[in-house]
Amino acid sequence: MLERIRSQKKIDPREFDVGEFLEAFCKIVRANYRTSGIDVAFALRSGFRAVMKRDDLEQILLNLVRNAVSALLANRDLAERRITVAAFREAGPGTIEVRDNAGGVSEAQALRLFELHDDSSSSTGLGLYLTRLLAEQNGLTLRYSLTDGESCFTILFPEQVLAEAEASGGAASPVF
C-alpha cells in the first residue's frame, strides 16, 4: 500500500533545517488543537539539517501527534493535556521527540506498537505501522518509550540523512 502511494508522488529528497521546519509545524498544530485544551510546545535544544522528503517527515509527525491527541482526549482525568515536540543533536544522530502526558501504553502493547494487529481493540495499528515504514523509507528510525507516565516517540536521523554542513550552528532556543 505504501509503495503504491509513494509511486504516485515522486519528490526528491531535499536539504532543510529541521528546527525551522518543526517551528512552523508546531505553530499549525498548536492552532489546530488549542480549542481541544491541548498545549503543544516546541523545544529546539540544538539544531541540525537533514536531507530527506519534508512531506514524509510532516506525515510522520502528523501521525504521531494525532495519536497523542487521541490518547489525551481519551484520558478524561488529566488536568493538563500536553504534547511536546523537541529537536536536538548531541553526539550521534539528530533526534526529534514527540511526548505526551496521556499515560502511555502497557509493556505488552509497546512491544507490538509498530505492527499490524487484529485483536479486540478498536485499533488495527495501521497508522503507526505505516508511520514506521515511512520513517524507514527515509532512512530514519522510530522508537517508543514510556518514562514517568509520558509516551515518547523518538525519530532518529542517522549520519546518512543529516546534511554535511551544519548551518544551524547548534544554537538552542527556548521552549515556546
Side-chain angles (χ1 to χ4, degrees):
M1 185 163 132
L2 187 60
E3 283 301 318
R4 200 170 114 220
I5 292 168
R6 303 306 310 150
S7 67
Q8 295 173 2
K9 185 179 176 185
K10 295 289 185 190
I11 299 173
D12 291 329
R14 304 219 186 234
E15 182 178 330
F16 63 96
D17 183 288
V18 173
E20 290 175 7
F21 168 81
L22 286 175
E23 183 177 359
F25 174 84
C26 287
K27 283 180 183 177
I28 293 168
V29 169
R30 185 180 299 123
N32 284 335
Y33 294 112
R34 182 178 300 133
T35 59
S36 299
I38 297 173
D39 177 44
V40 179
F42 170 61
L44 180 63
R45 295 191 296 235
S46 60
F48 60 95
R49 298 180 69 76
V51 178
M52 64 171 292
K53 299 172 184 168
R54 283 175 55 127
D55 289 351
D56 287 357
L57 180 58
E58 181 176 30
Q59 188 61 55
I60 291 166
L61 290 166
L62 282 171
N63 290 347
L64 296 178
V65 167
R66 285 182 189 132
N67 277 358
V69 167
S70 293
L72 288 166
L73 294 177
N75 189 340
R76 299 187 192 280
D77 297 331
L78 288 174
E80 175 189 16
R81 291 179 170 83
R82 181 183 63 254
I83 298 171
T84 304
V85 179
F88 54 93
R89 180 167 187 220
E90 291 151 2
T95 304
I96 296 175
E97 292 181 342
V98 179
R99 293 180 175 269
D100 69 72
N101 68 325
V105 299
S106 71
E107 282 186 45
Q109 289 172 312
L111 292 173
R112 298 183 44 202
L113 208 53
F114 300 108
E115 299 173 5
L116 288 175
H117 50 274
D118 186 18
D119 56 20
S120 60
S121 74
S122 61
S123 172
T124 62
L126 181 62
L128 286 175
Y129 173 77
L130 291 175
T131 299
R132 179 184 56 86
L133 289 179
L134 194 55
E136 289 173 355
Q137 200 170 56
N138 282 279
L140 307 175
T141 302
L142 187 59
R143 295 187 181 148
Y144 174 81
S145 63
L146 178 64
T147 306
D148 298 326
E150 286 194 350
S151 283
C152 179
F153 286 92
T154 304
I155 305 166
L156 298 172
F157 293 71
E159 290 295 327
Q160 65 266 24
V161 178
L162 296 173
E164 291 292 323
E166 292 293 328
S168 302
S173 70
V175 174
F176 49 97

